[in-house]
Amino acid sequence: MSAPHIIGIDIGGTKCAACLARGGQIVRREDFPTADEPGPDAVLRRLAATAEGLLSRHRVPRERVIGVGVSCGGPLDPEEGLILSPPNLPGWDGVPARRILEQALSLPVRIENDANATAVAEWRLGAGRGFRSLAFLTVGTGIGAGLILDGKLYRGKAGLAGEVGHSTILPDGPLCRCGKRGCLEALASGSSIGRRAQAAAKEHPDSILAGRELTGRDVVEAARAGDALAREALLESARYLGIGIANLLQILDLERVILGTIAVHAGEEYLDAVRTSVREHCWPSICDGVEVVPCGLGDSAQDYAAISLWLE
Amino acid sequence: MSAPHIIGIDIGGTKCAACLARGGQIVRREDFPTADEPGPDAVLRRLAATAEGLLSRHRVPRERVIGVGVSCGGPLDPEEGLILSPPNLPGWDGVPARRILEQALSLPVRIENDANATAVAEWRLGAGRGFRSLAFLTVGTGIGAGLILDGKLYRGKAGLAGEVGHSTILPDGPLCRCGKRGCLEALASGSSIGRRAQAAAKEHPDSILAGRELTGRDVVEAARAGDALAREALLESARYLGIGIANLLQILDLERVILGTIAVHAGEEYLDAVRTSVREHCWPSICDGVEVVPCGLGDSAQDYAAISLWLE
């Protein structure tokens, strides 16, 4: 008896992808620009058709497929299978994605927000294998976390657990895009790194960063090229990220913390600054032996996130 | 068949108590000053003897007792049954309390730190009945939490979960007794309220608070008597407590938050200030409908904490 197949679907603001996996390995994936289709219904129908295509090309009969996993930016309602107006998917307001995909594919569908799904993927297949309690933090435009607690994904009462990006780290601090002040996201996300470097560059018109809009990625690149302002902006954000991680550890006494997105690209100096700040803001009895590591699944994390919803 | 009996043991820095309970109701309790006995061994032997006395006076045969629950200040190791140097019990360093009590009473013993045990008690019998995910926060000399997540006590990897009192709320803020800066405990515990009021009173020598050492309880009493400085100190601490609670909610998307100790005595104005701060620092989608309430078990909370470790 061969290993069961799983279909993974990743719905993103820029790209959507469907993949076919077998025994936790991705056999084949296909993606298309989300903007190619006029709206949620058309995107979901195309994803279903892409999945059908993968099954037929690989001659996988439907009864060999245990299910379809969908990873999508939150907020969403995993119980009801609804996508609830994620900021990166304008117009996706209360979309019954599970029902649409179940009808189109005649297969059971599980749907989870991308931070949660990636936490499951890292726990099953990546840098979190073998641990019972861990957090996966994505540090990109925003900051979100997925929590595995006592060997189970923890969702909270309405699937909103893990919004550590909007915990308050600096009361009366900078305004966050969520409307609150001093959120971890306003202090340590990729966007906040860009803003911080941009503000600093205004006072140093000779800097290579001066006179332009900056993203977190721009700052990471400039820091890698040795720019002092960029390094400083990056290290300040690392300090705040360390505070946010230390708070998670003080509250949840986790075994491991896994970082995605910018933490993977920003390099060892940034990671070391995060770790130093964690140790400064967390009890040794809680953080000793707890490694803060980049995610293990790299660029395929989103595909594994989707299929991992069906891995035991 | 009558309801099973449980023995509850509460080990505190000031007093120790043993109680006999039946069907979740306390039948009888007895306590003695901890300092009456020369050390941990003698305290535990006297607790066992007190429990024996309760059983024989109430003619409860040992086979009717399902177990002994012990609540004690942390840190402790619930798996190994060890008490590990709690700050309020000097000299209790690695005391094998479970083994000693199991040998003395020939009954199975469960031991849990007091914040965790009270969280279980409030969930089973008090203000948390019917919820699946909640936090109990004790706000006294220190701040600690017990977490019930997805219908189960969550302990973390080494029983240190819930140390939200030492999450960082104000980077570079006041020094905490734990050695870190800006911990929630340094900003919102009873002791910090006393310190804050004392500092304020120095600038107002006419205040009824001036010229003396102040505890949180002194400040609560002065605030109830209408003293403006005391009210201000209390409300500032309420604001920080609200930030700590908001952070818990953003991370864990809980259904309810239960407050013990000072929150029970400080009155409605303080509680309202805490609730206002929670709403200010938490997303409406997460905190709407989440009540922040005083604990339901009042002065008997510690006894119920101990017996609740054996309630299903």
Side-chain angles (χ1 to χ4, degrees):
Chain A
M1 171 75 190
S2 62
H5 288 74
I6 300 168
I7 289 171
I9 286 181
D10 171 36
I11 303 175
T14 312
K15 274 191 301 188
C16 285
C19 68
L20 176 66
R22 184 175 168 185
Q25 295 294 318
I26 290 165
V27 177
R28 177 81 176 238
R29 98 187 269 285
E30 278 178 33
D31 61 35
F32 59 88
T34 311
D36 269 12
E37 302 296 330
D41 265 326
V43 168
L44 291 167
R45 274 199 308 269
R46 178 147 167 205
L47 280 165
T50 308
E52 285 286 6
L54 291 172
L55 289 179
S56 71
R57 243 168 313 129
H58 289 269
R59 289 164 217 261
V60 179
R62 200 166 302 263
E63 57 273 19
R64 283 274 189 72
V65 182
I66 54 173
V68 180
V70 180
S71 167
C72 179
L76 50 77
D77 181 337
E79 305 272 316
E80 299 296 323
L82 302 173
I83 297 176
L84 303 167
S85 316
N88 64 340
L89 288 167
W92 290 60
D93 307 317
V95 174
R98 186 173 61 204
R99 184 168 56 72
I100 294 172
L101 289 170
E102 281 184 346
Q103 284 174 358
L105 287 165
S106 302
L107 283 167
V109 172
R110 290 179 183 167
I111 179 163
E112 201 59 69
N113 78 57
D114 48 5
N116 282 355
T118 312
V120 174
E122 287 290 333
W123 172 48
R124 296 287 192 210
L125 305 166
R129 265 181 299 182
F131 295 98
R132 281 183 56 76
S133 297
L134 62 85
F136 165 77
L137 267 90
T138 168
V139 183
T141 315
I143 293 183
L147 302 172
I148 306 295
L149 302 180
D150 279 347
K152 208 166 134 264
L153 175 66
Y154 177 79
R155 291 189 181 92
K157 68 178 182 303
L160 290 169
E163 287 293 357
V164 61
H166 303 279
S167 62
T168 303
I169 299 292
L170 191 63
D172 308 314
L175 193 66
C176 183
R177 62 175 178 155
C178 81
K180 302 200 302 140
R181 284 199 170 272
C183 292
L184 177 60
E185 181 169 305
L187 295 159
S189 66
S191 326
S192 81
I193 295 170
R195 280 195 304 276
R196 182 175 294 127
Q198 215 165 312
K202 263 193 191 145
E203 327 230 314
H204 296 269
D206 51 321
S207 157
I208 58 165
L209 297 177
R212 50 180 177 128
E213 289 270 313
L214 295 172
T215 64
R217 201 168 282 261
D218 297 330
V219 180
V220 166
E221 277 167 25
R224 282 184 173 267
D227 184 76
L229 278 189
R231 271 190 60 215
E232 222 170 275
L234 209 53
L235 295 183
E236 197 183 337
S237 86
R239 177 172 181 249
Y240 285 114
L241 183 61
I243 294 177
I245 292 171
N247 287 357
L248 272 180
L249 292 175
Q250 289 288 138
I251 292 168
L252 293 172
D253 190 21
L254 303 168
E255 294 168 304
R256 174 156 280 203
V257 176
I258 302 169
L259 301 178
T261 325
I262 202 166
V264 181
H265 303 289
E268 274 305 308
E269 188 182 19
Y270 171 85
L271 275 178
D272 280 342
V274 173
R275 291 172 183 137
T276 301
S277 173
V278 170
R279 281 194 301 275
E280 188 187 331
H281 296 96
C282 188
W283 288 353
S285 54
I286 288 177
C287 71
D288 276 359
V290 177
E291 286 189 69
V292 177
V293 297
C295 63
L297 298 171
D299 292 336
S300 305
Q302 282 312 306
D303 299 322
Y304 283 111
I307 67 158
S308 71
L309 300 175
W310 286 92
L311 294 176
E312 288 314 307
Chain B
M1 173 73 190
S2 62
H5 288 75
I6 300 168
I7 288 171
I9 286 180
D10 171 35
I11 303 175
T14 311
K15 276 191 301 188
C16 285
C19 69
L20 177 66
R22 185 174 166 186
Q25 293 295 317
I26 289 165
V27 176
R28 177 82 175 237
R29 97 188 270 284
E30 279 178 33
D31 60 35
F32 59 88
T34 311
D36 269 12
E37 302 296 331
D41 265 326
V43 169
L44 292 167
R45 275 199 307 270
R46 178 149 166 204
L47 281 165
T50 308
E52 285 285 5
L54 291 172
L55 289 180
S56 71
R57 244 170 310 133
H58 288 268
R59 289 164 215 263
V60 178
R62 201 167 301 265
E63 58 273 20
R64 283 273 190 74
V65 182
I66 54 174
V68 179
V70 179
S71 167
C72 178
L76 50 77
D77 181 336
E79 304 272 315
E80 299 295 323
L82 301 173
I83 298 176
L84 303 168
S85 316
N88 64 339
L89 289 167
W92 290 61
D93 307 316
V95 174
R98 185 173 62 203
R99 184 167 56 70
I100 293 172
L101 290 169
E102 281 184 345
Q103 284 175 357
L105 288 164
S106 303
L107 283 167
V109 172
R110 290 179 184 168
I111 180 163
E112 200 60 69
N113 79 56
D114 48 6
N116 282 356
T118 312
V120 174
E122 287 289 333
W123 172 49
R124 296 287 192 207
L125 304 166
R129 265 180 299 181
F131 295 99
R132 282 183 55 78
S133 297
L134 60 85
F136 165 77
L137 266 91
T138 170
V139 183
T141 315
I143 293 182
L147 302 172
I148 306 295
L149 302 181
D150 279 347
K152 209 166 135 262
L153 174 66
Y154 177 78
R155 290 189 181 93
K157 69 178 179 302
L160 290 168
E163 288 292 358
V164 61
H166 303 278
S167 63
T168 302
I169 298 293
L170 190 64
D172 308 315
L175 194 65
C176 183
R177 62 174 178 155
C178 82
K180 301 200 301 141
R181 284 198 170 274
C183 293
L184 176 60
E185 182 168 305
L187 295 159
S189 66
S191 329
S192 80
I193 294 170
R195 279 195 305 275
R196 182 176 294 127
Q198 216 166 309
K202 265 195 188 142
E203 326 229 316
H204 298 268
D206 52 322
S207 157
I208 58 166
L209 297 176
R212 52 181 176 127
E213 289 271 313
L214 295 172
T215 64
R217 201 168 281 260
D218 297 329
V219 181
V220 166
E221 277 168 26
R224 280 183 174 268
D227 183 77
L229 277 188
R231 271 189 60 214
E232 221 170 277
L234 210 53
L235 295 183
E236 195 182 337
S237 85
R239 177 173 182 248
Y240 285 114
L241 183 60
I243 294 177
I245 292 172
N247 286 358
L248 273 180
L249 292 175
Q250 290 287 139
I251 292 167
L252 293 171
D253 190 20
L254 304 168
E255 293 167 304
R256 175 156 279 204
V257 177
I258 301 170
L259 301 179
T261 327
I262 203 164
V264 181
H265 303 289
E268 273 304 309
E269 189 182 18
Y270 172 84
L271 276 178
D272 279 343
V274 173
R275 291 172 184 137
T276 301
S277 173
V278 170
R279 281 193 301 275
E280 188 187 332
H281 296 96
C282 188
W283 288 354
S285 55
I286 288 178
C287 72
D288 277 0
V290 177
E291 287 189 68
V292 177
V293 298
C295 62
L297 298 171
D299 292 335
S300 305
Q302 282 311 306
D303 300 323
Y304 284 110
I307 67 158
S308 71
L309 300 176
W310 286 92
L311 294 176
E312 286 315 305

